[in-house]
């Protein structure tokens, strides 16, 4: 339960803008005591985003939380390389918490997706790159998530005065690298498409083999991870062999209910199959602010291939839940990408281009029953790019999407 009145007030202000039944006000999973909200893996979000949304219930000594969604999306991605397509994204998550005596607390997590049903090529997303399908690099497409997105546990040991040490890990999990993954950020709650900067900030959110140890207070968290650096392969239904060949460290500062600031650095062992023999040094920094239905994320990442290019990315996104019915949102991304022309015979192969994408949208939210709700809306996106890309992408491509999001914890 949230104990501190300032944090309770900040959380309640966010809950007031949620659709009815989205969450149980004042609930916080784990040992956070309301000083922050829990993000993906072991990441932190501002407490003023409100508690994790879903269905919560008590079963004996266990606190259970279920969350999930199914997106139905129709999109037209502009320009010569864009496509018109309809697809379904999905995720289901179950968490179970309980105390083990006065000092220990355990949390069990599983997260799954039926996105492998899309096929290996996933869905169209202009200027997105990363991973392979049918042994070919995916370009202007977003790969599907794996059936197993998380299968992990976290054990906290209370030191007293709100301080803890913890151990997190499992065969599928997320290391301490970057901000919370996009599908768990309030600032991206109604964004139907993954960021084109996904492989700069979020690509490690499904890692086959991870162990994280950390020290946490209400205001600070320091942690280090060992994990498998290679991104998941195109066979999405299985659990790949875990391996601990990479490492990362992260520090997070949550000075008030409204802010979460993180910096992190990792060394990834051959993360991308299309860049064999190249390791990666990845550094990220992010600032997240939330208050009264507003959730924002501002982030920077630098991928330094060893050997290879240095590629940076910037991200700014926000969601403002105006009322329990209406929400507006947007995302601005700028990224240096050298994977847009994977064919070695292409004169632009391995050329680095800096691309900007700006997207805005609206969602109308309809409670159905209990925590189950529906969001209906759409987005429009425009792009800025070098003139050298006009032949491939057109002069001024514009993309649009229409979506419906059925969610437990909208």
């Amino acid at each position: 339960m949230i104990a501190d009145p300032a944090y309770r007030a900040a959380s309640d202000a966010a809950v007031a803008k949620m659709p009815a039944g989205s969450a149980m006000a004042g609930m916080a999973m784990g040992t956070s005591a309301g000083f922050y909200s829990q993000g993906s893996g072991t990441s932190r979000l501002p407490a003023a985003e409100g508690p994790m949304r879903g269905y919560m219930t008590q079963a004996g000594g266990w606190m259970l939380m279920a969350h999930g969604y199914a997106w139905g999306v129709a999109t037209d991605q502009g320009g010569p390389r864009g496509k018109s397509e309809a697809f379904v994204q999905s995720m289901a998550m179950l968490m179970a918490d309980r105390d083990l005596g006065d000092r220990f607390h355990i949390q069990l997590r599983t997260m799954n997706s039926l996105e492998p049903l899309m096929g290996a090529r996933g869905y169209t997303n202009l200027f997105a790159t990363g991973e392979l399908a049918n042994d070919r690099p995916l370009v202007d497409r977003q790969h599907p998530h794996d059936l197993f997105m998380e299968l992990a546990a976290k054990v906290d040991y209370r030191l007293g005065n709100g301080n803890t040490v913890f151990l997190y890990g499992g065969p599928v999990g997320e290391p301490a690298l970057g901000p919370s993954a996009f599908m768990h950020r309030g600032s991206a709650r109604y964004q139907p498409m993954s960021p084109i900067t996904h492989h700069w900030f979020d690509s490690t959110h499904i890692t086959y083999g991870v162990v994280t140890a950390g020290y946490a207070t209400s205001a600070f968290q320091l942690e280090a991870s060992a994990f498998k650096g290679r991104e998941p392969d195109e066979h999405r239904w299985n659990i790949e062999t875990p391996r601990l060949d990479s490492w990362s460290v992260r520090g997070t500062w949550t000075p008030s209910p409204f802010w979460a600031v993180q910096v992190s650095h990792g060394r990834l062992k051959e993360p991308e199959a299309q860049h064999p023999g190249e390791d990666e040094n990845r550094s990220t920094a992010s600032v997240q602010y939330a208050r009264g239905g507003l959730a924002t994320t501002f982030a920077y990442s630098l991928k330094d291939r060893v050997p290879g290019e240095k590629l940076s990315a910037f991200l700014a996104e926000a969601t403002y839940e105006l009322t329990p019915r209406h929400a507006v949102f947007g995302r601005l991304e700028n990224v240096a990408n050298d994977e847009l022309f994977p064919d070695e015979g292409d004169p632009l192969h391995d050329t680095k281009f800096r691309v900007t994408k700006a997207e805005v949208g609206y969602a109308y939210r309809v409670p159905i029953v209990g925590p189950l709700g529906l969001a209906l809306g759409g987005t429009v996106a425009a792009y800025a790019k070098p003139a050298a890309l006009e032949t491939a992408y057109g002069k001024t491509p514009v993309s649009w999407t229409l979506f419906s999001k059925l969610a437990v914890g909208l």
Side-chain angles (χ1 to χ4, degrees):
M1 294 292 183
I2 295 177
D4 187 289
Y7 289 81
R8 176 62 183 261
S11 178
D12 286 353
V15 170
K17 299 294 181 69
M18 298 178 189
S22 292
M24 296 174 64
M27 286 291 191
M29 301 291 282
T31 57
S32 68
F35 291 105
Y36 53 89
S37 290
Q38 183 172 299
S40 61
T42 55
S43 64
R44 290 183 170 188
L45 298 167
E49 279 198 14
M52 186 176 289
R53 300 186 184 184
Y55 174 71
M56 295 187 185
T57 188
Q58 193 85 18
W62 291 92
M63 174 67 74
L64 305 179
M65 196 284 289
H67 173 66
Y69 56 71
W71 289 85
V73 182
T75 185
D76 181 75
Q77 297 288 290
R81 278 197 173 188
K83 295 182 182 299
S84 297
E85 198 169 32
F87 56 91
V88 176
Q89 301 177 74
S90 62
M91 185 271 285
M93 183 172 77
L94 180 65
M95 299 171 62
D97 280 68
R98 72 169 299 157
D99 284 333
L100 302 175
D102 294 334
R103 293 284 186 175
F104 285 96
H105 181 91
I106 187 169
Q107 184 179 84
L108 307 177
R109 306 185 198 173
T110 180
M111 185 161 50
N112 303 90
S113 174
L114 291 178
E115 290 183 16
L117 292 172
M118 290 184 188
R121 287 177 50 78
Y123 62 85
T124 184
N125 190 4
L126 206 63
F127 289 108
T129 62
E131 301 194 15
L132 304 178
N134 304 316
D135 295 321
R136 292 282 299 162
L138 285 169
V139 180
D140 302 311
R141 298 194 71 83
Q142 167 61 32
H143 61 81
H145 287 112
D146 287 50
L147 171 64
F148 295 97
M149 300 176 69
E150 187 174 29
L151 193 61
K154 182 171 181 275
V155 176
D156 293 86
Y157 179 78
R158 297 183 178 95
L159 300 173
N161 297 319
N163 303 332
T164 65
V165 292
F166 64 86
L167 186 67
Y168 164 89
V172 192
E174 179 180 328
L177 183 60
S180 181
F182 69 91
M183 67 284 297
H184 296 278
R185 298 193 297 258
S187 56
R189 181 169 287 121
Y190 305 107
Q191 285 279 359
M193 312 284 278
S194 70
I196 63 172
T197 52
H198 172 55
H199 284 264
W200 278 253
F201 294 103
D202 308 309
S203 64
T204 56
H205 80 100
I206 300 177
T207 300
Y208 285 99
V210 60
V211 177
T212 300
Y215 170 75
T217 73
S218 61
F220 294 99
Q221 181 167 286
L222 301 174
E223 50 192 327
S225 298
F227 62 98
K228 184 177 182 177
R230 175 59 62 92
E231 295 170 351
D233 62 27
E234 61 186 282
H235 306 292
R236 303 288 175 180
W237 295 103
N238 63 337
I239 295 179
E240 298 174 29
T241 303
R243 187 180 303 149
L244 302 178
D245 57 14
S246 304
W247 59 266
S248 66
V249 292
R250 178 169 63 192
T252 307
W253 183 40
T254 48
S256 80
F258 310 110
W259 297 94
V261 181
Q262 73 83 32
V263 293
S264 56
H265 178 78
R267 173 79 175 206
L268 285 67
K269 176 70 173 176
E270 294 189 73
E272 299 181 54
Q274 60 183 304
H275 295 281
E278 294 184 3
D279 293 347
E280 182 184 309
N281 291 315
R282 184 180 301 180
S283 301
T284 82
S286 64
V287 176
Q288 292 172 279
Y289 174 81
R291 191 164 199 149
L294 174 68
T296 66
T297 299
F298 305 92
Y300 167 81
S301 178
L302 177 66
K303 295 201 304 187
D304 180 7
R305 296 204 191 107
V306 184
E309 285 276 9
K310 293 184 178 180
L311 303 166
S312 61
F314 302 86
L315 167 77
E317 65 184 17
T319 293
Y320 188 23
E321 297 179 319
L322 302 164
T323 72
R325 292 282 187 175
H326 304 281
V328 293
F329 55 90
R331 178 186 283 152
L332 180 66
E333 302 175 83
N334 179 276
V335 60
N337 195 332
D338 64 355
E339 298 177 344
L340 296 174
F341 300 91
D343 293 334
E344 294 184 4
D346 195 301
L348 298 181
H349 176 66
D350 280 351
T351 303
K352 180 170 64 174
F353 295 100
R354 185 163 289 280
V355 176
T356 300
K357 177 180 180 180
E359 187 169 25
V360 294
Y362 165 79
Y364 180 75
R365 304 178 297 169
V366 184
I368 298 175
V369 59
L372 186 66
L374 183 68
L376 303 171
T379 71
V380 176
Y383 309 84
K385 55 184 176 32
L389 295 180
E390 286 189 10
T391 300
Y393 286 93
K395 188 173 183 180
T396 55
V398 174
S399 301
W400 58 262
T401 67
L402 296 175
F403 66 83
S404 63
K405 181 183 182 182
L406 181 67
V408 178
L410 188 62

